[in-house]
Amino acid sequence: MNSTRSNIVILTGAGVSAESGVATFRGAGGLWEGHLIEDVASPEGFARDPALVQKFYNLRRAALRTVEPNAAHRAIARLQREYQRGRVTLVTQNVDDLHERSGSPQVIHVHGELLKIRCTRCHAVHHWTEDITPNLACASCQTAGRLRPDIVWFGEMPYHMDAIYDELAAAQVFIAIGTSGKVYPAAGFVIEAARCGARTIECNLEPSDVSSVFDEHRIGPAGVIAPALVDQLLRV
Ligand code: APR
């Protein structure tokens, strides 16, 4: 790495929050906290059993109060604040708020956020830290019973794709941390970044499904690998 101008895009996944005690998606025999992913993360699953899905996300939202950012979140936030040679754009697939709580000044949530709820009638999105109850009314249109988590489920359109592809095209360095590379379009960001000329670095406990596309691999826990990489990027 030399000292010329160099924009960085970081993509994070569930592995970055694992050391904070947030369950990854594919860590327990394909189950997410005991559920098939398609039962709790698809519009069809929600239509089949809305109470189950609301309860599932209510528990995930409440669990955020019991976890704290770890060394990987803090290192990424430090890089965003201290890096002088270009932009550091953080894109996360995670729906938790640990990047924000560790001090990241900018976070793009490509799969939505647990602390936001969306009205399926008027489409307004509001910050929300409590349970979604059956009669909860939308703060914008006052309609009761039409709120859902503002989470991107399978089959739905991920958020902020135009902005992300602009940043990938302008990046000289692309770093993926703690993601299995199984879910597109995020899994394909490395391909786009490489096509546009970025140097690509994967940081994960194990090689991901798109590992072969990366120029460089750092295998290990995010809480160790990310701070070391950030130290190196800030030193140059
Ligand atoms: N440090 C680094 N990597 C880790 C750690 C850790 N401490 N713990 C686990 N990992 C790695 C795993 O080896 C795995 O490759 O993190 C990856 C997590 O993979 P997934 O559980 O598949 O999570 P992610 O890639 O974020 O999932 C993508 O899938 O279900 C959807 O919308 C959901 O955003 C999610 C998307």
Side-chain angles (χ1 to χ4, degrees), residues 3-18:
S3 59
T4 54
R5 198 167 166 76
S6 183
N7 294 324
I8 301 173
V9 174
I10 300 177
L11 171 69
T12 63
V16 93
S17 294

Side-chain angles (χ1 to χ4, degrees), residues 41-138:
S42 72
E44 295 78 15
F46 187 50
R48 233 177 0 250
D49 194 345
L52 171 87
V53 175
Q54 295 286 22
K55 183 177 171 204
F56 179 79
Y57 288 97
N58 286 343
L59 290 170
R60 305 279 78 71
R61 196 178 301 108
L64 289 184
R65 297 188 201 119
T66 68
V67 297
E68 296 293 336
N70 65 52
H73 298 106
R74 288 192 293 274
I76 294 165
R78 177 174 168 236
L79 183 68
Q80 287 184 285
R81 287 194 309 267
E82 297 182 14
Y83 187 72
Q84 302 283 330
R85 289 185 291 116
R87 293 195 297 280
V88 180
T89 304
L90 175 58
V91 181
T92 188
Q93 298 166 91
N94 298 344
V95 295
D96 64 52
D97 63 341
L98 294 177
H99 282 305
E100 285 87 348
R101 281 202 262 149
S102 72
S104 274
Q106 162 277 326
V107 190
I108 297 175
H109 283 272
V110 69
H111 291 161
E113 294 172 63
L114 272 174
L115 296 183
K116 286 186 178 169
I117 58 175
R118 173 154 41 96
C119 178
T120 58
R121 181 166 176 271
C122 75
H123 309 295
V125 173
H126 291 281
H127 182 76
W128 192 250
T129 59
E130 307 301 319
D131 285 358
I132 300 181
T133 50
N135 292 322
L136 185 65
C138 170

Side-chain angles (χ1 to χ4, degrees), residues 4-10 83 85-91 108 161-175 189-200:
T4 54
R5 198 167 166 76
S6 183
N7 294 324
I8 301 173
V9 174
I10 300 177
Y83 187 72
R85 289 185 291 116
R87 293 195 297 280
V88 180
T89 304
L90 175 58
V91 181
I108 297 175
M161 293 306 292
D162 288 350
I164 293 167
Y165 276 92
D166 285 350
E167 291 300 327
L168 292 171
Q172 281 72 44
V173 180
F174 174 85
I175 302 165
F189 290 169
V190 61
I191 298 166
E192 181 64 9
R195 194 184 67 79
C196 296
R199 174 177 176 207
T200 55

Side-chain angles (χ1 to χ4, degrees), residues 12-16 18-19 24-27 37 93-94 111 152 154 178-183 203-206 208 220-223:
T12 63
V16 93
E19 289 157 71
T24 59
F25 295 93
R26 295 172 181 81
I37 291 178
Q93 298 166 91
N94 298 344
H111 291 161
V152 177
F154 285 98
T179 177
S180 60
K182 288 187 191 297
V183 176
C203 304
N204 214 43
L205 264 190
E206 59 197 348
S208 74

